[in-house]
Amino acid sequence: MSEEFHPHSQFPGPGLFDGPDALTREHEILLFHIQNTPLAAIEWDLDFRVKYWPRRAEEIFGWTAEEVKGLHPTEWAFVHPDDI
């Protein structure tokens, strides 16, 4: 059985994460939730270009991160042609 990262079981509670690693730890927890949501949590930059395309978005929309990263939604067919 492989060990999985479970952020809340390892979180010591409020006030115990003060220090230079606090932001890193909070980022890890947020990233864990984004990567494990059943939804496609896509991150866009200020120009509405794909900044982060998670595995779940690949499963839902059919495009890999390499295919869409940096693109504006008008620059590709958001719904994969195989799904139309």
Side-chain angles (χ1 to χ4, degrees), residues 24-44:
T24 299
R25 180 69 176 143
E26 292 300 318
H27 180 262
E28 289 174 357
I29 291 170
L30 180 59
L31 187 59
F32 172 83
H33 288 294
I34 289 171
Q35 291 175 339
N36 290 286
T37 181
L39 307 172
I42 301 165
E43 184 180 353
W44 308 89

Side-chain angles (χ1 to χ4, degrees), residues 30-77:
L30 180 59
L31 187 59
F32 172 83
H33 288 294
I34 289 171
Q35 291 175 339
N36 290 286
T37 181
L39 307 172
I42 301 165
E43 184 180 353
W44 308 89
D45 67 13
L46 295 176
D47 295 321
F48 205 57
R49 295 186 178 282
V50 176
K51 186 173 179 180
Y52 177 74
W53 187 263
R55 179 182 66 244
R56 186 67 180 134
E58 290 183 19
E59 294 167 1
I60 292 172
F61 297 107
W63 302 102
T64 66
E66 293 78 27
E67 292 174 304
V68 298
K69 191 169 182 181
L71 296 180
H72 189 275
T74 60
E75 297 175 320
W76 92 97

